Each structure stands twice: as C-alpha cells, then as structure tokens.
C-alpha cells in the first residue's frame, strides 16, 4: 500500500507565550516598577488640585510637596513610561522579525494590540481616571507604527521636529492657568456628575498627552534597537552620560515652574509662556536620566538580587495591572460616591501615594511567588494573539 504522508502539526508561535521571568531583562521591569511610584505621586497631586483647590495659605510641607512634585514627578516619570512603551513595541518587532515574520504580519499584530490599548484605555479614562495613558499609547502606536522601519537618523529628525509641538501646547495651557487662576475645574459630587466631568475632560487630556508622548516613544524605539536596557553593561558610558546630564538638566529646568507653583515666585502669564515649555522639554531629559540611573543600578542588582529587587521587578512585569489598580484605589478613596476622603493637602497626597504604591509592590510579589501573571497582561495578550493552543 502506498504510504500517506501526514504533515506534522505546526508548533505554536513562540510569540503567543510570554517570556519566562528568568529570561527577562531586569532594567525595563525595574524601571516600570519604580516609575509606578512616580505615577502615583503625580495622580494624588492631581486629586489634591481637583478636590482641594489652591490653598491661599499652604503649609510649609505643602509647599515642599508641590515644588518637589513639579521638580521630580510632573512630566518626568511619564516620558520614561512612554519611552518604555516604545521600547516594548520595538522589541516585539525585532522578535517577530527574528522568527521570520513578514512586516505586514507584524504591522497587523501591532495595530491590533494598539486598538485594544485604545479601547481599554478609553474605558479606564471614562470610568475611573481621566488622565489615562493607555489610550494615548494606542493612538501613538497606530499613528507611528511605520517608524519601526526607519533608520536611526530619521527617528532622531522626527523627534526633533516634534519637540516644539508639545512645548507650545504646554506653554499655552500654563499661561491660561496663570490668567484664570484655575488649573482644573473642581471634581463634582455624584456618580453621574463625575462621569460627565471625565467625558468632558478626557478628550482634551488625550490630545495634550499624545503631543507629549511622541518624542519619548521615538527615543524608546531607538534605544531598543541597540538593546540599551537589555544589555546595560555594554552601554555603561552612554548610561552614565545620560544620567549625569539628564537628571541635573531636568531639575534646573523645573525650578522656575516649581517656585511659581509653590507660591514663592509670582510669575506672570508671560513668564509661563517660557517656564512651562522649559519644564516640558527638560522633562524628557529627566525621564531618560531616570531610565539611565535605573539601568545602571540593575547592573549591580542583577548580580545579587534580593527580595526588594524581585518585588519591584514583579511589579514592573505587571505594570498595566497595577496601573489600573491604582485608579481603582483613587476611585475608592476620593470619589464622592465611595469613601469621599478630603484631599486638601499635597503633603498628605504624597503619603497616600507611597502607601498605595507600597501595597501594590507587596501584592505583585505575592503573585510572583505563586506564579501568577497580571490579569491585565493576560487579557491583552489573549486579545492580541488569541488563545494559546
């Protein structure tokens, strides 16, 4: 009898399975874990504005908390997260290319992933927190997925051309705030009132944040091409330069706005046209400087990984889950239809932010010990790739 040839079943695409924890680079996960603290500090400071407004006679601690937030947090941690997002997109592209996938297949995959980011982020922004970044990442990925095929020089040119757009937007917003004396409208009472508040505020924030995301996103793509965070030992000189220049430059660029926000300097609307873009642009340097510092720390920590390092890395591996969990915490703590806690003090906000972040570190470490991945990461991977067979 003639033999019938039976083709072997095709093995599952390795891209459908997450990278094992022991194969992951420490620096990106550590950066995400640490930067979630910066995100928490920024969000609680925002709630101190939405719920408490501007205190005509703030305490010394409140002034210090406000100035410290402007110098070290506002538009400092966010560029790093945006750069890490670009870094991750470039990693997916590189891995699929190494697996022999064509560009059309990879582009379709990344666009599908971006659409789910957009949908999840929109729900998050409308239902929980209007300062959502996930939908922003989805928009940027959809618009700029083609840059993955451009050369390094082209990426740098696009970043330089885009840089003034975000700076001008923030200059106008800051000048408008100085003229009206109001940063944001107060958060209203009631579920429906808060929902309408988010519906009106969210679209405007998305536009501003998209403008602010493109530059660090492109720099993240550029860094991923050279595996700066995956192989930090091979880029020590670059990392030391970025840290020694980026962080001091960021601090100096933020000082004028910090003095104005803390009430130490009475800046005019014309002053804000200059100090706001200075704060914005130097924030990019600060975000990259933070990334470089964490990458340098990971070189030492990776040799002798302790419990704290593992816990922070575990949080970074589940950053999307606990980013959303922070918003749930804010809704429970501050919404008028839940606990409705007053937030009139930026200094108290710092304590709340650190407490919530520390709780997520403990929860992430428990999940690591039990071998549990973040539910948001599991959902996004399943929606992007489909079920693993």
């Amino acid at each position: 009898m003639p033999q019938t040839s039976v083709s072997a079943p095709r093995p599952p695409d390795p891209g459908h399975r997450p990278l094992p924890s022991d194969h992951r680079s420490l620096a990106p996960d550590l950066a995400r874990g640490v930067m979630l603290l910066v995100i928490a500090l920024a969000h609680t400071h925002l709630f101190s504005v939405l719920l408490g407004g501007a205190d005509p006679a703030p305490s010394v601690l409140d002034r210090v908390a406000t100035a410290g937030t402007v110098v070290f947090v506002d538009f400092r941690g966010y560029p790093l997260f945006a750069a890490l997002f670009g870094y991750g997109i470039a990693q997916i592209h590189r891995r699929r290319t190494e697996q022999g996938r064509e560009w059309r297949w990879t582009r379709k995959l990344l666009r599908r992933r971006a659409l789910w980011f957009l949908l999840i982020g929109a729900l998050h922004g409308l239902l929980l927190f209007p300062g959502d970044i996930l939908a922003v990442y989805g928009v940027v990925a959809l618009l700029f997925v083609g840059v993955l095929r451009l050369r390094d020089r082209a990426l740098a040119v696009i970043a330089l051309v885009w840089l003034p757009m975000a700076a001008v937007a923030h200059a106008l917003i800051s000048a408008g705030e100085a003229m009206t004396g109001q940063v944001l409208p107060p958060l209203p009472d009631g579920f429906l009132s808060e929902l309408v508040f988010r519906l009106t505020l969210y679209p405007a924030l998305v536009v501003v944040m998209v403008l602010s995301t493109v530059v660090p996103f492109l720099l993240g793509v550029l860094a991923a091409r050279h595996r700066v965070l995956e192989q930090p030992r091979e880029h020590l000189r670059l990392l030391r330069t970025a840290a020694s220049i980026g962080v001091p430059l960021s601090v100096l660029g933020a000082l004028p706005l910090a003095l104005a926000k803390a009430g130490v300097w009475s800046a005019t609307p014309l002053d804000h046209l200059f100090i706001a873009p200075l704060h914005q642009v130097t924030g990019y340097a600060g975000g990259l400087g933070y990334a470089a510092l964490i990458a340098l720390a990971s070189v030492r920590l990776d040799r002798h990984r302790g419990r704290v390092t593992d816990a922070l890395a575990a949080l970074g591996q589940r950053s999307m889950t606990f980013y959303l969990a922070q918003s749930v915490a804010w809704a429970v703590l501050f919404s008028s239809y839940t606990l409705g806690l007053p937030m009139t003090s930026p200094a108290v906000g710092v304590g709340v932010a650190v407490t919530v972040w520390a709780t997520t570190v403990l929860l992430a470490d428990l999940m690591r010990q039990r071998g549990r991945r973040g539910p948001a990461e599991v959902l996004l991977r399943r929606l992007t790739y489909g079920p693993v067979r």
Side-chain angles (χ1 to χ4, degrees):
M1 293 179 62
Q3 294 183 349
T4 304
S5 61
V6 180
S7 59
R10 182 181 178 182
D13 187 340
H16 287 205
R17 298 185 180 278
L19 199 65
S21 297
D22 56 351
H23 290 177
R24 295 176 65 102
S25 301
L26 176 61
D29 289 334
L30 192 62
R32 292 185 183 97
V34 172
M35 284 301 106
L36 278 173
L37 172 59
V38 178
I39 294 293
L41 291 168
H43 288 180
T44 52
H45 186 75
L46 177 61
F47 275 105
S48 72
V49 174
L50 292 174
L51 297 175
D55 189 346
S59 68
V60 174
L61 284 178
D62 287 335
R63 290 177 184 270
V64 171
T66 298
T69 300
V70 174
V71 171
F72 298 107
V73 173
D74 286 350
F75 295 107
R76 268 73 189 142
Y78 178 74
L80 174 52
F81 250 115
L84 290 172
F85 177 71
Y87 199 101
I89 291 289
Q91 282 182 312
I92 294 174
H93 174 239
R94 184 180 68 239
R95 289 168 184 166
R96 301 304 166 259
T97 302
E98 292 172 351
Q99 293 166 7
R101 293 293 186 178
E102 297 181 353
W103 165 243
R104 288 185 178 181
W105 186 93
T106 304
R107 181 178 58 188
K108 184 178 179 181
L109 171 75
L110 291 174
R111 283 177 173 172
R112 182 165 62 248
R113 186 172 182 267
L115 286 171
W116 285 116
F117 258 103
L118 184 56
L119 177 60
I120 295 171
L123 292 174
H124 170 235
L126 296 176
L127 297 177
L128 288 174
F129 183 69
D132 165 76
I133 61 175
L134 300 180
V136 174
Y137 290 169
V139 172
V140 172
L142 286 172
L143 294 177
F144 290 91
V145 66
V147 304
L148 294 171
R149 305 188 76 191
L150 298 180
R151 295 182 177 180
D152 290 357
R153 184 186 297 271
L155 289 175
V157 169
I158 295 173
L160 286 174
V161 171
W162 195 275
L163 189 62
M165 297 186 186
V168 170
H170 285 277
L172 295 176
I173 292 172
S174 184
E177 293 173 356
M179 291 178 65
T180 61
Q182 186 176 30
V183 179
L184 288 171
L187 189 68
D189 293 337
F191 177 80
L192 290 179
S193 297
E194 284 196 24
L195 181 61
V196 173
F197 174 83
R198 287 190 291 268
L199 283 171
T200 55
L201 183 61
Y202 182 54
L205 289 178
V206 167
V207 173
V208 174
M209 293 172 72
V210 166
L211 292 174
S212 304
T213 299
V214 174
V215 172
F217 171 82
L218 294 173
L219 296 178
V221 171
L222 187 60
R225 287 184 176 179
H226 301 278
R227 305 193 180 196
V228 175
L229 297 182
E230 296 156 274
Q231 301 170 350
R233 289 185 180 87
E234 299 181 9
H235 301 89
L236 291 178
R237 184 176 181 181
L238 172 65
L239 293 172
R240 288 167 181 158
T241 301
S244 61
I245 295 178
V247 175
L249 182 63
S250 172
V251 171
L252 291 174
L255 281 178
L257 188 61
L259 294 175
K261 293 287 187 180
V264 178
W265 172 40
S266 299
T268 65
L270 182 61
D271 294 328
H272 280 269
L273 285 175
F274 294 96
I275 63 177
L278 178 65
H279 179 262
Q280 165 69 22
V281 172
T282 55
Y284 294 144
L288 297 178
Y290 287 170
L293 282 176
I294 295 172
L296 290 170
S298 72
V299 173
R300 293 189 176 185
L301 294 174
D302 204 17
R303 299 173 182 172
H304 308 286
R305 294 183 63 156
R307 180 71 179 273
V308 174
T309 302
D310 287 338
L312 291 174
L315 180 63
Q317 292 169 18
R318 299 158 180 84
S319 58
M320 183 176 176
T321 292
F322 286 105
Y323 167 73
L324 296 173
Q326 282 190 11
S327 294
V328 174
W330 311 145
V332 171
L333 292 172
F334 303 133
S335 291
S336 60
Y337 51 87
T338 53
L339 295 180
L341 299 180
M343 176 59 72
T344 58
S345 168
V348 173
V350 171
V352 172
V354 173
T355 301
V356 170
W357 174 78
T359 302
T360 62
V361 173
L362 295 175
L363 292 174
D365 193 45
L366 287 175
M367 294 175 71
R368 175 189 66 83
Q369 295 176 38
R370 297 181 180 182
R372 299 287 184 87
R373 297 179 57 224
E377 286 76 14
V378 172
L379 175 63
L380 179 63
R381 179 170 288 274
R382 185 178 180 87
L383 293 172
T384 302
Y385 293 100
V388 178
R389 298 177 182 176

